[in-house]
Amino acid sequence: MSKNQNKTGSYGFFNCIEKNFDKAAQFISIEKGLLEQIKACNSVYRMHFPVKIGKEIKVIEAYRVQHSHHKLPCKGGIRYSMKVNQDEIMTLAALMTYKCAIVDVPFGGAKGGIKIDPQTISSENIEKITRRYTSELIKKNFIGPGIDVPAPDYGTGEREMSWIFDTFLSLRSGDVDALACVTGKPVSQGGVRGRKEATGLGVFYGIRELCHVKEDMYSVGLDVGLVGKKIIIQGLGNVGYHAASFFHESGAIIIALAEREGAIYNKKGLNVSKVFLHLKNNGSILNFPEAKNIKNTEKALELECDILIPAALENVIHKNNANRIKAKIIGEAANGPITPEADEILDKKGVIIVPDIYLNAGGVTVSYFEWLKNLSHVRYGRMEKKFRENVNAEFLKVIETVCKKPISIEEKKMILRGPREIDLVRSGLEDTMINGFHKICDLKKSLKIENMRTAAFVLSINKIIDSYERLGIFP
Ligand code: GLU
């Protein structure tokens, strides 16, 4: 057993990322010290604070890790889960650094976590814990529009981000940029339209792009295009839920959906919106009338399919099940769902893995748009929507005169429309995901790198090196 392996024989999560980093470093010729600096976590804040729950005082364990300060602010979500630990949060913070660099989002990576199970705690108590955590971050200067900007992650959402903002504002009243201290807020509280579904939509754009690359599709024996591809999604949180909807709408066939309590399967395809309605009404996806139950949820990962999307937690594909995975493509919607040992097994089998540091970057990309919106204090499209509509109307008049043919009302409506915030956000996200994909593939080709993950790391590390070289080392 190597020094990096834990008792169960698998690597610690941070070591997994170090392994991926080291593979990529072989393609980069740069001073070793700089690579070591990029790899290291700059600041780790581990805290314990008391919260009164009922008549009892509970001591809460929480973290905020800033992996890199090569760009500021630092950026990354906050997760609420009983599995939260320092190694996990450090790793997720590092992934944020690499992710942001790939999609040209000018932030250093960070991550936070509170060790609680939000499903067993009342919302009043979750609010108390969230507000106390925020005040701890403020005390230590670990939050602020130019310092470190949290966002939602596993177990958190708009509600928590709203509380974080409100706590920040009450302790920093008068800060005109306070809204930009956190992203993923509700639209009514300074959020941006399209943030909620951004990670799932980014996953969809990334996989759609891959499915249009002939060479790649033929290499795994699939036809070009997304229509008709058989997909399994594991995890129906915010990311999996939206990804499933976008894939379904685009004509892909969702053959299985997996949740904690079990999975459901129908080889002809599941009607995703009906499944979600069933989930809402019954609190579980199991016993959906048009599907078979699979009691052992892990078995769903091993079903025959074209594309597997793990969208829940890390390390779900490991050395003990990797050999049984039958998917031809794996899209990492979650952070770190495949261990390095499993990665090697799947690589040998010829599976195309679209790595997390690219594929789930849609969330932070739209968080960047939200942060910019908050700093500019104006909604996207507000200044130009009407102007564009007026210009379009003029164009239309000219076209009708030149063509001597009237344009139908439906066509007119489409052409006249000026951009709304959601249109701008989605097109910005689509462009980012398409660009990121091709940059990774171009680098993979030009350096003859064996897989997308290593190519994505090389792309990312090169960009971080570039900023360090321009910044210099102080003093
Ligand atoms: N938690 C998300 C992630 O892991 C979003 C982070 C953010 O928007 O800052 O990418």
Side-chain angles (χ1 to χ4, degrees), residues 104-363:
D104 283 328
V105 163
F107 297 140
K111 201 77 166 198
I114 306 185
K115 192 171 174 183
I116 52 169
D117 179 358
Q119 295 195 325
T120 60
I121 303 179
S122 68
S123 72
E124 288 77 27
N125 286 327
I126 296 178
E127 178 174 355
K128 255 192 213 171
I129 294 168
T130 306
R131 288 185 183 276
R132 178 64 196 252
Y133 174 73
T134 310
S135 70
E136 294 295 325
L137 294 180
I138 295 172
K139 271 195 245 168
K140 291 279 192 290
N141 216 17
F142 261 68
I143 184 171
I147 299 168
D148 188 345
V149 180
D153 198 82
Y154 187 83
T156 58
E158 289 185 341
R159 180 184 70 164
E160 287 73 14
M161 301 309 116
S162 215
W163 291 331
I164 291 173
F165 163 61
D166 186 60
T167 309
F168 184 85
L169 188 64
S170 62
L171 294 172
R172 287 269 190 277
S173 79
D175 182 344
V176 69
D177 290 327
L179 265 179
C181 78
V182 61
T183 60
K185 303 177 291 293
V187 173
S188 59
Q189 297 294 313
V192 73
R193 287 163 186 82
R195 173 62 185 86
K196 215 174 183 177
E197 65 273 28
T199 314
L201 184 56
V203 168
F204 167 77
Y205 287 143
I207 295 292
R208 186 190 65 183
E209 210 51 27
L210 170 70
C211 288
H212 282 106
V213 181
K214 260 192 212 158
E215 261 179 297
D216 285 331
M217 289 303 100
Y218 293 168
S219 78
V220 288
L222 293 174
D223 291 333
V224 174
L226 199 51
V227 176
K229 293 266 183 306
K230 295 194 173 71
I231 301 188
I232 297 173
I233 297 186
Q234 181 247 356
L236 289 180
N238 182 46
V239 181
Y241 170 90
H242 286 109
S245 308
F246 289 116
F247 281 121
H248 181 64
E249 278 165 25
S250 75
I253 304 169
I254 309 291
I255 58 163
L257 291 169
E259 261 290 37
R260 283 192 232 198
E261 70 275 14
I264 53 170
Y265 172 72
N266 179 342
K267 72 169 189 245
K268 291 201 180 119
L270 296 160
N271 181 324
V272 170
S273 29
K274 276 195 192 166
V275 175
F276 292 148
L277 194 66
H278 174 85
L279 173 63
K280 208 173 147 200
N281 294 337
N282 302 282
S284 163
I285 53 169
L286 292 178
N287 304 322
F288 180 63
E290 294 152 31
K292 257 202 297 196
N293 282 345
I294 300 174
K295 283 215 180 97
N296 182 353
T297 192
E298 285 180 22
K299 287 286 161 207
L301 300 168
E302 299 170 16
L303 295 168
E304 197 91 46
C305 69
D306 298 323
I307 305 172
L308 171 64
I309 307 281
L313 285 172
E314 54 265 21
N315 298 338
V316 291
I317 302 177
H318 41 77
K319 66 174 195 279
N320 299 326
N321 64 0
N323 257 320
R324 295 195 297 271
I325 301 286
K326 299 180 193 71
K328 297 174 178 111
I329 297 168
I330 302 179
E332 293 187 322
N335 289 310
I338 303 180
T339 67
E341 296 101 328
D343 216 21
E344 272 167 30
I345 297 170
L346 294 164
D347 244 358
K348 279 193 194 124
K349 288 191 0 168
V351 177
I352 301 177
I353 298 172
V354 189
D356 47 5
I357 54 169
Y358 157 68
L359 195 66
N360 69 32

